[in-house]
């Protein structure tokens, strides 16, 4: 009977990332120093793993008993002579390459390492009891990363991409590692995540030492070049079918990393498993800026109904964001709806407005629903045709009570490109955060300030714009049997008690007093006065700016009114060149009135007032 010693050699590039040490030579020696051949335990590998010098290798050459080579999985085996079955042996390996590209050592030397001393008898006895058993050794990641990098210029990034909330892996995503450089950022490589969200990127120092003179001159151009270090500064990008999952910048870079980088990335983007009943469903925000809850954090609503610490009010089309499962634990479809009530309570009130008041239902109330992308379907395996399908909400996705069926929207999207619902198995479902888009202009009814007031004229209280508040409710249910009107309540309704909305424009008027008293073409001199009226209940800023064509005069005008925090900024006699700024010379001047409001749709602030009002005049100090 043959005595076969089976072994396996692997190395850690991270504490949770193990690779086979393939295509290396295994050397089995008689012990270099006297060892008790009857020992029942092998030497501690932690104490014995070391480099073997050229001198030691020569001295031990006559002690070499066996050679073998590891295969692609790092496995090897040798046939042991009967006379050696009761002996102890030293085991070394000569590292002529490392995964995955098997480069030659960058130094002209043989890299030989001693692993440990083991008892052949004990190993053969273990194998006799279990034919699947083999001697195994895993090189500690600090050793293996050093060997890979120092001798072979082999650098590696090993990581996972997960969902930040659920901690579930995101598969089929493309992860790109970038090196932040002073000149041009280097692309270290791209990898696709597997079903466990795992990815690996291999590269060499040449990938992060590129310059505009590469390949002739390479150097690591660290952004902090005064504290030059040799390792790259790594940040990550990740996307799935064009949807950004991770979008780090230089500011997020991990500084001067070593030969091995182990990293866990997470994304707030939800990749939905339609068969996962544990996927959480919730309305969590309005756009990307605001939460949908009362609280003291920067994105929250305050007690009065203002959004965020900036005290914004909502306007135009808003995206009601969050996530919703496609099916319940029982496999039944999930539906949800949003409704609005004119009755409100402070957001810090423990009570909610009466449910009977939530009669303005998205999908039923006129013009309240706005179509929008709610999901994307991304092929699990790339296809040049229909690799990505956008799922856009439609009026047909609502039932007679305003319940929205995202399953219907997905099936409709598949049918629209010639597929059937059965083809959904080919796709990953990417949540776009948007549950429903809602037009706030369908709710607000406050009239605009009538266009009858001149520059410098006050806005009467009767024409001021009132505050408009609304409550928003979110509900989600399980459809057990729609025909039989059987439903299960998943979430009876999250309610935001008070949300302030406004869709009125700023009222702005601007004039030059002296021109009004003459004609718009008459040169003027002496002290020049501006007249302006600027009003909005949620005015954020107001500013007057004066400049000459030559730009010798280029300054803001401060008069104690325009640069205050009042919602009304009105002045019929604002001096532009009163002492000590009485330095206007003969030239053409432009006076501009800038303004902005606190209206926001959750993505962008209102551009109303972005283009300033202008008044041009010609000043001539010699004019009689």
């Amino acid at each position: 009977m043959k005595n076969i010693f089976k072994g396996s050699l692997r190395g850690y590039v991270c504490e949770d990332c193990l690779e086979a040490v393939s295509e290396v030579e295994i050397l089995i020696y008689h012990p270099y120093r006297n060892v008790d051949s009857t020992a029942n335990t092998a030497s501690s590998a932690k104490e014995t793993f070391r480099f073997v010098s050229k001198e030691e290798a020569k001295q031990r050459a006559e002690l070499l008993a066996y050679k073998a080579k590891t295969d692609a999985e790092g496995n090897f085996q040798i046939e042991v002579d009967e006379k050696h079955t009761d002996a102890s042996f030293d085991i070394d390996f000569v590292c002529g390459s490392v995964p995955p590209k098997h480069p030659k050592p960058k130094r002209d030397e043989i890299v030989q390492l001693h692993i440990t001393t083991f008892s052949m008898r004990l190993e053969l006895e273990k194998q006799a009891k279990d034919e699947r058993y083999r001697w195994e050794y895993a090189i500690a990641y600090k050793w293996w990363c050093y060997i890979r990098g120092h001798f072979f210029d082999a650098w590696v990034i090993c990581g996972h991409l997960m969902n930040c909330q659920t901690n579930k892996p995101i598969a089929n995503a493309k992860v790109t590692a970038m090196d932040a450089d002073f000149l041009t950022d280097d692309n270290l490589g791209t990898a696709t995540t597997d079903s466990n969200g795992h990815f690996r990127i291999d590269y060499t120092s040449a990938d992060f030492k590129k310059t505009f003179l590469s390949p002739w001159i390479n150097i690591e151009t660290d952004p902090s070049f005064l504290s030059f270090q040799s390792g790259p500064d790594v940040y990550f990008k990740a996307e799935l079918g064009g949807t950004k999952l991770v979008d780090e910048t230089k500011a997020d870079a991990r500084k001067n990393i070593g030969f091995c980088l182990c990293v866990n990335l997470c994304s707030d983007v939800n990749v939905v498993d339609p068969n996962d009943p544990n996927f959480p469903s919730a309305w969590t925000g309005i756009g990307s800026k605001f939460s949908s809850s009362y609280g003291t954090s920067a994105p929250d609503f305050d007690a009065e109904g203002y959004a965020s610490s900036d005290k914004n009010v909502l306007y135009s089309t808003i995206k009601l964001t969050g996530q919703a499962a496609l099916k319940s634990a029982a496999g039944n479809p999930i539906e949800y709806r949003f409704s609005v009530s004119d009755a409100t309570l402070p957001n810090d009130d423990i009570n909610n407005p009466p449910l009977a008041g939530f009669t303005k239902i998205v999908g039923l109330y006129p013009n309240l629903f706005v179509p929008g992308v709610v999901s994307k379907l991304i092929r699990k395996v790339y296809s040049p045709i229909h690799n990505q399908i956008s799922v856009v909400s439609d009026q047909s996705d609502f039932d007679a009570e305003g319940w929205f069926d995202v399953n219907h929207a997905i099936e409709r999207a598949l049918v629209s490109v010639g597929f059937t619902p059965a083809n959904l198995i080919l796709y990953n479902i990417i949540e776009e955060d948007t549950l429903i888009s809602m037009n706030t202009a369908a709710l607000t009814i406050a009239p605009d300030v009538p266009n009858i007031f001149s520059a410098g004229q006050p806005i009467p209280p009767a024409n001021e714009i009132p505050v408009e508040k609304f409550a928003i409710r979110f509900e989600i249910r399980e459809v057990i049997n729609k025909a039989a009107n059987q439903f299960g309540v998943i979430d009876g309704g999250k309610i935001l008690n008070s949300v302030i909305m406004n869709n009125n424009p700023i009222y702005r008027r601007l004039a030059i007093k002296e021109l009004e008293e003459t004609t718009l073409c008459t040169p003027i001199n002496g002290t020049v006065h501006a007249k302006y009226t600027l009003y909005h209940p949620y005015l954020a800023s107001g500013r007057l700016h004066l400049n000459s064509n030559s730009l010798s005069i280029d300054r803001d005008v401060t008069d104690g009114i325009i640069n205050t925090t009042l919602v009304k900024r009105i002045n019929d006699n604002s001096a532009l060149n009163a002492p000590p700024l009485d330095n206007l010379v003969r030239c053409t001047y432009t006076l501009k009135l800038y303004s902005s409001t606190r209206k926001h749709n959750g993505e962008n602030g209102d551009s109303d007032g972005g283009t300033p009002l202008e008044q041009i005049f010609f000043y001539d100090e010699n004019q009689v």
Side-chain angles (χ1 to χ4, degrees), residues 535-557:
Y535 165 73
H536 194 274
Y538 310 109
L539 196 64
S541 66
R543 181 168 64 95
L544 275 176
H545 187 82
L546 179 67
N547 69 269
S548 61
N549 277 6
S550 64
L551 295 181
S552 60
I553 302 295
D554 190 17
R555 65 173 183 249
D556 282 344
V557 176

Side-chain angles (χ1 to χ4, degrees), residues 230-243:
S230 60
D233 298 340
V234 179
Y235 64 96
F236 293 92
K237 306 283 186 180
E239 60 94 12
L240 184 57
T243 297

Side-chain angles (χ1 to χ4, degrees), residues 339-359 469-473 493-499:
S339 54
V340 178
S341 173
D342 294 324
T344 66
L345 289 172
N347 284 318
D348 59 353
D349 197 314
I350 61 172
N351 299 304
N352 297 127
L355 298 184
F358 289 88
T359 57
K469 294 186 180 184
F470 305 89
I472 303 176
R473 184 187 184 195
K494 173 180 179 175
I495 296 177
L496 189 56
N497 282 357
S498 185
V499 177

Side-chain angles (χ1 to χ4, degrees), residues 469-544:
K469 294 186 180 184
F470 305 89
I472 303 176
R473 184 187 184 195
F474 172 69
E475 303 168 87
I476 189 165
R477 71 182 185 181
E478 173 190 12
V479 182
I480 299 172
N481 186 328
K482 199 155 192 170
N485 203 32
Q486 296 178 344
F487 304 98
V489 176
I490 303 296
D491 186 336
K494 173 180 179 175
I495 296 177
L496 189 56
N497 282 357
S498 185
V499 177
I500 301 175
M501 300 181 187
N502 179 274
N503 285 283
N504 301 101
I506 301 176
Y507 192 85
R508 304 184 299 168
R509 295 293 181 271
L510 175 66
I512 299 296
K513 182 178 180 181
E514 284 70 26
L515 290 181
E516 285 190 334
E517 294 173 351
T518 56
T519 69
L520 295 179
C521 296
T522 303
I524 56 178
N525 60 10
T527 303
V528 181
H529 298 85
K531 299 171 63 176
Y532 59 84
T533 297
L534 183 60
Y535 165 73
H536 194 274
Y538 310 109
L539 196 64
S541 66
R543 181 168 64 95
L544 275 176

Side-chain angles (χ1 to χ4, degrees), residues 82-313:
E82 187 68 30
K83 65 182 179 182
H84 293 151
T85 57
D86 200 37
S88 292
F89 288 93
D90 288 341
I91 182 168
D92 293 15
F93 76 100
V94 176
C95 194
S97 63
V98 295
K101 298 177 182 179
H102 314 296
K104 293 182 180 179
K106 65 179 183 177
R107 292 169 173 79
D108 187 18
E109 58 185 283
I110 296 175
V111 184
Q112 181 171 335
L113 297 110
H114 174 64
I115 301 175
T116 189
T117 301
F118 69 95
S119 168
M120 184 65 75
R121 176 169 58 85
L122 288 178
E123 293 304 317
L124 293 177
E125 286 177 354
K126 292 176 182 178
Q127 185 175 299
K129 293 179 181 179
D130 183 358
E131 62 179 13
R132 295 171 298 178
Y133 172 81
R134 65 173 59 242
W135 176 88
E136 294 182 344
Y137 186 80
I139 306 168
Y141 77 95
K142 290 184 178 180
W143 267 105
W144 187 231
C145 286
Y146 176 78
I147 294 167
R148 288 171 49 86
H150 180 74
F151 291 99
F152 299 91
D153 192 27
W155 301 62
V156 63
I157 297 169
C158 197
H160 292 84
L161 176 60
M162 319 294 282
N163 178 273
C164 297
Q165 280 73 43
T166 64
N167 204 37
K168 291 185 177 180
I170 300 176
N172 301 314
K174 290 184 178 180
V175 180
T176 299
M178 301 294 296
D179 169 38
D181 265 0
F182 180 69
L183 299 176
T184 302
D185 289 359
D186 301 317
N187 186 327
L188 300 179
T190 298
T192 301
T193 57
D194 63 16
S195 59
N196 296 312
H198 179 264
F199 65 92
R200 172 176 171 149
I201 296 172
D202 289 274
Y203 61 104
T204 70
S205 62
D207 293 312
F208 61 85
K209 292 182 178 179
K210 297 174 183 176
T211 72
F212 65 96
L213 294 175
S214 294
W216 301 282
I217 298 177
N218 293 328
I219 188 171
E220 168 64 346
T221 52
D222 195 299
S224 303
F225 59 91
L226 293 178
S227 58
F228 178 82
Q229 299 289 337
S230 60
D233 298 340
V234 179
Y235 64 96
F236 293 92
K237 306 283 186 180
E239 60 94 12
L240 184 57
T243 297
K244 289 183 180 179
L245 303 179
V246 176
D247 192 21
E248 294 183 347
T249 66
K250 288 184 179 182
D252 305 303
R254 298 141 186 88
K255 301 293 184 180
N256 299 309
I257 67 164
F259 298 124
C260 299
L261 173 62
C262 312
V263 65
N264 290 315
L265 304 176
C266 82
S267 173
D268 290 319
V269 175
N270 293 313
V271 181
V272 182
D273 179 356
N275 297 311
D276 182 7
N278 298 313
F279 186 79
S281 300
W283 169 39
T284 59
I286 296 174
S288 59
K289 181 175 175 64
F290 309 128
S291 79
S292 58
S293 302
Y294 162 72
T296 56
S297 297
D300 293 338
F301 279 78
D302 66 12
E304 296 178 83
Y306 290 104
S308 86
S309 55
D310 295 328
K311 286 191 172 293
N312 295 115
V313 298

